[in-house]
Amino acid sequence: MSDKKIEVLVAAVDENPVMLAEHMNLQTEAIICNQCHLYAYEQFEHNGRMVRVFSLDERGVGLNRNTALQRTDAGICVFSDEDIVYDDGYEQKILDEFRKNPKADVLMFNVWAVEERRTYENTRHKRVHWYNYGRYPTYSMCARTESLRKANVSFSLLFGGGARYSNGEDSLFIHDCLKAGLAIYATPVSIGHESKREDAGSTWFEGYNEKFFYDRGVLYHYLYGCMARPLALRFLCKHRSAMCRTIPLTKAYALMKKGIREA
């Protein structure tokens, strides 16, 4: 398994794989796990590289990502979503950064989200620790495949789009990588951007409703254990103006505590 080979692992739902590869500007090998209403396998060349497509009649982003991760034979895997568009030359950028950071098991690149969904910006090289890992989405991650397999880490089937709880599979995965002792670094290098979705219903987010706060409480239990409640209150206070317009902070906190307790 050579670190010179990169494969993009794309989580998709009901997509045309050929059109998707074009839209994403894929310039490396790729695996597209397309959750739809059939079971099939196909492969095709795009920009002179092989794209393998696994069509699966199942749901859940964690299951989708695990399916791709189990099948990659590349030394470096790039986690991606169907709405990511890569910059020209992203392959060389990724290879150069791993060459410059030989101790890194995982690198977090800048992939620019649309403004309302942006949670991070890397302005310098730095180590990712327990206190700052929660801001990174899965699509920022590139990893040495062998490191992930030796650490025996995988994505949760409970969290994320199509799963029981609405989101958080990315934070849980990074949490498990850190717990396993993997070295994670952030780099200021940019490799792509998120295209704006025309169909807002295609995402997991349905507003700051009761399920949002309850599910966030369940997630905090798994992420923070005995510190879940104070960190939940800190989270709500920090984002009160945006999140607590319909549901007041006191009720939102009660819902998060319920999720923490019942988890």
Side-chain angles (χ1 to χ4, degrees), residues 25-217:
N25 192 33
L26 293 177
Q27 299 175 356
T28 58
E29 293 192 8
I31 294 176
I32 298 175
C33 284
N34 192 29
Q35 294 187 332
C36 50
H37 297 292
L38 58 96
Y39 286 98
Y41 173 80
E42 63 179 303
Q43 61 185 43
F44 60 90
E45 281 195 11
H46 180 75
N47 286 329
R49 303 297 183 91
M50 184 63 66
V51 177
R52 294 182 284 160
V53 183
F54 295 87
S55 296
L56 306 164
D57 186 12
E58 44 192 48
R59 285 292 183 269
V61 67
L63 180 59
N64 189 312
R65 296 198 194 282
N66 288 338
T67 299
L69 183 57
Q70 289 167 1
R71 286 161 174 77
T72 183
D73 58 0
I76 296 173
C77 56
V78 180
F79 294 103
S80 189
D81 291 334
E82 61 193 23
D83 54 358
I84 301 302
V85 180
Y86 287 102
D87 298 337
D88 289 337
Y90 71 88
E91 178 180 25
Q92 195 59 50
K93 290 181 181 180
I94 294 170
L95 289 173
D96 287 346
E97 284 303 296
F98 273 99
R99 194 174 296 115
K100 293 174 185 175
N101 297 274
K103 294 182 179 180
D105 297 302
V106 179
L107 286 176
M108 302 294 194
F109 287 82
N110 280 325
V111 178
W112 303 112
V114 293
E115 190 63 36
E116 60 268 23
R117 283 165 48 88
R118 190 168 298 174
T119 59
Y120 79 103
E121 178 182 356
N122 299 328
T123 58
R124 59 184 177 85
H125 285 91
K126 60 183 178 181
R127 185 80 179 256
V128 175
H129 296 281
W130 291 100
Y131 57 80
N132 63 357
Y133 75 90
R135 70 189 67 175
Y136 292 103
T138 309
Y139 58 73
S140 69
M141 297 177 59
C142 300
R144 298 186 195 274
T145 307
E146 193 64 25
S147 295
L148 298 182
R149 289 177 176 164
K150 286 181 178 179
N152 195 30
V153 291
S154 60
F155 287 88
S156 171
L157 304 185
L158 283 175
F159 294 86
R164 180 174 180 179
Y165 303 112
S166 49
N167 77 314
E169 83 290 344
D170 41 9
S171 296
L172 280 167
F173 184 76
I174 301 170
H175 168 278
D176 290 346
C177 286
L178 288 170
K179 188 176 180 181
L182 298 187
I184 305 177
Y185 292 86
T187 170
V189 173
S190 300
I191 58 173
H193 67 274
E194 178 188 42
S195 60
K196 192 172 182 65
R197 296 174 185 261
E198 294 181 5
D199 177 12
S202 65
T203 71
W204 63 268
F205 186 65
E206 297 179 354
Y208 299 115
N209 53 22
E210 291 190 3
K211 178 173 170 54
F212 172 87
F213 293 112
Y214 176 84
D215 289 359
R216 183 57 60 119

